[in-house]
Amino acid sequence: MTEYVQPFEAGDKSQLDLLGGKGANLAEMTRMGLPVPPGFTITTEACRAFLERGDVPPELPVQVRSAMLRLENRLGKRLGDRHDPLLVSVRSGAKFSMPGMMETVLNVGLNDDSVLGLAEASDNERFAYDSYRRLLQMFGRTVLDIDGARFSDALDERKTARGVTQDVDLDADDMRALVDTYKQIIAAESGAAFPQQPSEQLTACIEAVFASWNTPRARVYRRRERIPDSLGTAVNVCTMVFGNLGADSGTGVAFTRDPASGAAGAYGDYLPDAQGEDVVAGIRNTLSLEEMHELDPASYDDLQRVIRLLEAHYRDLCDIEFTVERGTLWMLQTRVGKRTAPAAFRIATQLVDENVITMDEALSRVSGDQLAQLMFSQFDPAAERTLLTTAMGASPGAAVGTIVLDPQRAVEKAKDGPVVLVRKETNPDDLEGMIAAAGILTSRGGKTSHAAVVARGMGRTCVVGAEGVEVDEANARIVCGDVTLAEGDTISIDGTTGEVFAGSVPVVPSPVMRYLTDGVAAAEPEAGSDAALVPAVDRLLRHADRVRRLRVRANADTADDASRARTLGAQGIGLCRTEHMFLGERRPLIERVILADKPEELKAALDTLLPLQRSDFGRLLESMDGDPVTIRLIDPPLHEFLPDRTALSVKVAVARERGDVDPEDVRLLEAIERLHESNPMLGLRGVRLGIVVPGLFGMQVRAVAEAAAARIKAGGTPRAEIMIPLVGSVMELHLIRQQVGHVVAEVAATEGVELDIPIGTMIELPRAALTSFRIADEADFFSFGTNDLTQTTWGFSRDDVEAAFFAAYLEQGVFTVSPFESIDGDGVGRLVRIAAEEGRSTKPDLKLGVCGEHGGDPLSVHFFHEVGLDYVSCSPFRVPVARLEAGRAAV
Ligand code: PEP
Ligand code: MG
């Protein structure tokens, strides 16, 4: 029989898969002897069984009942007893944190009798009825699916009737009246009375938490965070402790370091006389820990002690949820906390300096995605601006966009340009609007509010707690002092400083970008906050460079791109797409090649292109002098260089009507018709062009060889490599290799220099991967073209499928991320692995790289490291990201 229930004292933090994050860490804290209210965890396995069967597994009710009995015996109390009742919370907790996405019900066990027992035991009637009405509210929303506004409206009505603004100003009679109202709402909306039986409440809550795994917002969140749908959530049943027992009680969240800036020292929000969700929901503005210190020094000291213990134990920034019940501190949750990108880099190096972790560990604590965020631009310090207010920067970045006050409208409006979502506070239902927005601004809440936590997780710029901004939803406007901005007006928000500006403020490169392009000194910021960031990034990137095995090259077609890439740390060019050299004003020249009927015409057309290509390659080799430059011969189908077929057909038809048709147009149209293909990506392109269009590849190779010869004569060290695209058979490569070798030898002889130009192939067709042991005979290197390899392995047209049906595929879990973005390890990756192994079995020193988009994708970089490639090549901007990730893959 499967055991689905585990008491806190039986587990530890290694059991994340089974107990979820919350359960595993509650177990760990229990083990550490920290004050955790007793309880037990129902495993993720039970949730998976529930989701599969559509019902709880048959063993579960008995197991929960016996766990409850043990808890009752231990505490000498009974769930929902009419005297001093035991009450429990029922809280979700998946392996990966999904803040606010799933459900929690507190005060389970209260009913019309036990509320009297609670009042008596606490000697506080107001508290008892407040707790009961909270249970009704959460149960109604979560278990019975009743619109939460029904309850909050009733609460607001009561406050208005009593002429007060805060919940704490309502007295016991108010709470008793609210309990009645809430029970009526439940009966009216659900058609049944609120269940008075505590065990029935508990069972319903457990099922509701399981079911909340699949709410639309939870699914959206998982898709975004790439969390598999199959994991399920655990459920934690925990003895209630109360933060709403008066002024000597309270509840809070804290971080062992500031999660926004990374500054050392605990950071947190505390709300006296409040329960659980009040803090995270951002309903009331909170006190800082310093203010808590003044209010309740003893609990504050206890909290500081626990914070120190936790950080030493987890060796990382932790976030915690705690409650103070009449002066006693209780820990309700901890985990290694989410943090902003700057905080991640700062904290990682701080912990090294504090001798807590090694540099290798520090490297594993930051990510390429975070580095990419730090490369984002910032507001120009020199630019004019109109400051509206300064609130709390909760997630860094500079966002400029039009104001939208509603999350659904944000999704719509974001299609026309960047929007800033402005809300009083956000809740989990706002998620899609938050994803669509360039930035998020809230008027309430602290750095631990829902908006802040979610925005940080997504890397979205976010400012919270802007009390000076009145969000007037009814009139679709915001008011800040004497400034009123309507929905649709532009606003700029700075997620680092918390500043909010009216209008659009110009944006400039970030200090990290300045450092990456100009070195550490250039990036020294004028004032304060970024001082420790650039050195932290510098240290970690250098360490990554020291430990990584993968080399990092860039995909670049121009000397400018190549220089930029080199500045960003590229160790060569992994892909120069030569077709990009035939665009713009050169298009007519390649048109002449395509239209040529006679060999002399073709030769003349190619001869015109030769010097242009020679100088292109010369500049490229010069800008990457000493490092390899892989030049790929022309790849796309030739009709891509010709005018649009329909437009030209119309033009010619109209001209014919008028009787003044241009013979050149007719010739062009004939060529277009001749070259037209139904499946161009599978047509006459790549190596096939080299075989059927005489002289085309030869011209390009000659240009490369002559450029290299000229560079040698000029004292340079050119390291050109020639790469043949879309090879599927060794024979294709054999034929081209002969041509290439011949041209290179001829140029070397004519120029009187020694030319060593390796000749390799892209592996971008499944057949190439599967026959790599043969192809390796003719290749000096392989470069995996994972864009085409993904296209041809899946049979997905690169240019069409993403818009056509990827949303449905992602939604329905066919994949969690587009295979064009992150390598599909099982399918496409398997071909890479086969080709790498079998290619090297033929030629042990075969150089292996990748130049598809995946070369700059963090997850894929780890995969390429693992299969033993020598280098990845990616767009210049991704080079630092790939360097960091290649380092992380190696530690
Ligand atoms: C590839 O197919 O992965 C590749 C790099 O080539 P292109 O994107 O130019 O087809
Ligand atoms: Mg390709």
Side-chain angles (χ1 to χ4, degrees), residues 856-879:
D857 168 65
L859 280 178
S860 312
V861 169
H862 288 248
F863 178 84
F864 298 132
H865 169 86
E866 194 242 314
V867 296
L869 301 198
D870 297 301
Y871 67 87
V872 294
S873 188
C874 55
S875 70
F877 187 73
R878 298 296 292 179
V879 164

Side-chain angles (χ1 to χ4, degrees), residues 575 577 579 632 635 685 762 764 785-788 798 851-852:
L575 173 64
R577 291 180 166 100
E579 58 269 20
R632 181 182 71 183
D635 180 20
R685 55 170 285 217
M762 298 195 65
E764 48 187 348
T786 46
N787 304 333
D788 272 310
R798 277 161 78 161
C851 61

